Structure formats: structure tokens, C-alpha cells
Amino acid sequence: MDIRSLGYLRIETARLAEWRTYTLDILGMVEAEGSTDEVLHVRIDDRIRRLSFEAGEQDRLLAAGFEVAGAAALAEAAAELEAAGVAVKHADQATLDDRRVQGLLHCTDPAGNPVEIYWGQAQDHTPLGTPYGNRFVTGDHLGLGHVVLPAPDMEAAVSFYEDLLGFQLRDRMKLPPIAVPTGEGGRDHYWMNFLSPNARHHSLGLYPGALPPGIVHFMVELETLDDVGFCLDRMQKAGIPIASSLGRHSNDHMVSFYAQAPGGFQVEYGWDGLVVDPATWVAKEITADSFWGHQWNG
């Protein structure tokens, strides 16, 4: 299967007004075409949208959208999923119009995480005009950034994304039981896995425990370290809890911090992420989360 990138995330939220302030005023993103009082679409580049927040009764991931090159690639993806026994639903025209894409199919991964595979997303050719002059790193098919999803059955989840969707395993990290309070009991360690379909070190992280919102965090990457620092100042001024201090990760080398987001998960805001050559990459076990920093609160 020829997945190219993590293209978008769709999130249901009972805190839409908070997300509007959080994304636009704090993260420095731009409200996108089609937003209403009930739906907030967000731009960070020339795509019509990268994030969508839909008003609802709970906070949860509605879908992680993964992009393929075109109609033939989508048909191939559907055939491969069905041959592997994965239930596939093809989107109707109303859904295609809503997502602003040319083709789309729905499925779920082994953990029940909702997945949308699509092609032909609309572009917005108007200048982005972010509020602080900040710029996001999405080019060269790197996509939105990355998302970390819960995967209590890690073996099945890795097989789905690596063997079926064609992601490349980049690194693994051993976690102690205290770091996975919702994991199955009786184990002395768990594995977290990092994968990607493109040159971004990871577009997907798989966390070996359950989490009610169905998402652990998502990451967006900025062009400059100053962009990250200015956002950290805005977070602190607004009284938003900082989940992890600034630090540099050992796997993707990202300099970032984590902040609590409306709805029970986190956002990572980073700079200088590692871009790899998939043809020569060798997967490794990383033995520390970060080279420095990333002191976690609570």
C-alpha cells in the first residue's frame, strides 16, 4: 500500500470554543474555509484544512486521515484491506464533499482507532497569513506532523501499519509499567513504536495502553526555534498547563514542549525534526526519551 503522509485529523469536542482560542490564538494556526459555529477547520499550509474540530458531547478522535497519491492507489488500498479481512466502507458523495477530497474509504485499525484513507484533497491558494508570522513544516510530503494513538494490542497494531499500510518501523522504546497505567497487567515492560510512510522520522506513534479520547497527542513542527519559544510564552501567559518542558527527543531529534489541550490529551509543538532516508534507515531501540529536557509534570 502506498500511503504518503498523515494528512489530517478530525476530532469531536465538547470544548469547541476552547479549541478555537487554543488553535488560532495560541498555536498560531488559521481558521479555514467552511468553519461554522459547530465546526472549526484549521489551516497550517496550502491544504484546505489539516485539523477539524466538530462540536459534540465528548472529546475523541473521529479519524486520522492518511493520504495516497490518487484513485488507483486508493482502489489498491481498498483491495488490500479487504483481502486482509479488514472491513472497508467507501465514502458517499456527501462525505467527499465534507472532507473536500476526491476519494475516501473508512476503516479501523486493530485497536479500534478510526482511519480514513483518501486522495485529492483541495488546496487553498490564498496566503496563509498566520497571526505571528510563524510557519509550519509540512512540505516534501511530510504531512501534518505526527499523531500518537493508543494500541493496547501492540503486535496487531504494528502489523496493521507496517505490513498492511506499508509504514516503516523507525524506532522502539521500552516503557516501564508506571508509564502505561492502562496497559494489561503482569508485565515488566511495554513497547512503544514509531513508524512513518515518508521521510519524517515518525508520522505515527503507537502507545501500548488505552486512552479514552483515542489520541495521546499530535505534533506540529515549526520552521524556527523562535516560533516554538514564542508559543511557549503564549501558553504560559494564558495559564495553559505545560505537560513537559522544552527538550530534544532522542529519536526524531525534535526540540519541543508538550501542553495540555482541551479534551484530555496533549499537543507537541516542535522544531528541527529528523528527516531520514527510508532506503538506508535501520530501526533501533532508543533507551531514553530525550537527550535533554522534557521534564514531565505529573
Side-chain angles (χ1 to χ4, degrees):
M1 197 176 302
D2 189 20
I3 303 289
R4 298 297 177 88
S5 68
L6 171 66
Y8 61 73
L9 296 173
R10 297 177 49 245
I11 294 167
E12 178 184 350
T13 179
R15 301 169 172 84
L16 186 60
E18 293 178 44
W19 271 112
R20 192 178 301 275
T21 298
Y22 193 92
T23 54
L24 307 183
D25 298 341
I26 306 299
L27 299 182
M29 298 175 175
V30 176
E31 186 169 352
E33 174 188 322
S35 296
T36 68
D37 290 342
E38 298 298 315
V39 178
L40 172 64
H41 299 305
V42 177
R43 281 183 67 196
I44 62 172
D45 60 4
D46 61 358
R47 295 302 182 91
I48 194 74
R49 66 185 69 129
R50 289 291 192 177
L51 298 166
S52 293
F53 302 91
E54 303 181 16
E57 297 182 354
Q58 57 184 313
D59 296 277
R60 65 187 177 108
L61 179 71
L62 292 176
F66 294 106
E67 186 173 47
V68 296
L74 187 67
E76 179 181 344
E80 292 181 13
L81 287 165
E82 289 170 342
V86 177
V88 171
K89 178 183 177 183
H90 291 269
D92 57 21
Q93 189 59 50
T95 301
L96 298 182
D97 293 342
D98 176 73
R99 306 291 195 273
R100 300 297 307 275
V101 300
Q102 299 295 308
L104 183 148
L105 60 85
H106 307 270
C107 66
T108 58
D109 72 12
N113 298 310
V115 170
E116 295 179 353
I117 301 174
Y118 71 92
W119 75 274
Q121 187 183 35
Q123 289 187 303
D124 187 331
H125 300 290
T126 61
L128 184 61
T130 56
Y132 310 108
N134 52 296
R135 305 291 295 181
F136 296 88
V137 176
T138 62
D140 296 326
H141 310 293
L142 295 180
L144 165 64
H146 75 237
V147 64
V148 177
L149 301 177
D153 186 345
M154 184 59 69
E155 183 177 350
V158 170
S159 177
F160 176 84
Y161 286 103
E162 186 177 23
D163 301 332
L164 188 53
L165 268 61
F167 286 39
Q168 184 181 50
L169 179 67
R170 295 283 158 81
D171 287 317
R172 308 183 78 200
M173 182 170 62
K174 188 181 292 185
L175 299 179
I178 193 173
V180 193
T182 57
E184 61 183 50
R187 302 184 59 173
D188 61 1
H189 70 272
Y190 298 85
W191 288 104
M192 186 167 179
N193 291 271
F194 303 89
L195 307 95
S196 187
N198 55 46
R200 190 184 288 280
H201 175 273
H202 63 277
S203 300
L204 174 68
L206 294 173
Y207 171 77
L211 198 68
I215 177 173
V216 181
H217 76 257
F218 69 82
M219 184 281 299
V220 289
E221 184 177 0
L222 283 296
E223 286 190 354
T224 74
L225 179 58
D226 284 345
D227 288 336
V228 175
F230 287 135
C231 183
L232 180 56
D233 283 350
R234 294 193 296 271
M235 290 275 185
Q236 293 172 327
K237 184 176 180 180
I240 295 170
I242 303 302
S244 173
S245 65
L246 195 70
R248 186 183 284 275
H249 279 306
S250 58
N251 58 355
D252 66 354
H253 299 184
M254 187 78 69
V255 176
S256 65
F257 70 90
Y258 293 72
Q260 297 295 346
F265 57 96
Q266 298 168 353
V267 169
E268 182 183 6
Y269 206 77
W271 164 76
D272 197 31
L274 183 63
V275 174
V276 311
D277 179 358
T280 60
W281 183 260
V282 176
K284 300 173 290 296
E285 177 190 350
I286 58 171
T287 57
D289 181 46
S290 301
F291 292 121
W292 55 266
H294 285 138
Q295 299 300 311
W296 290 90
N297 300 316

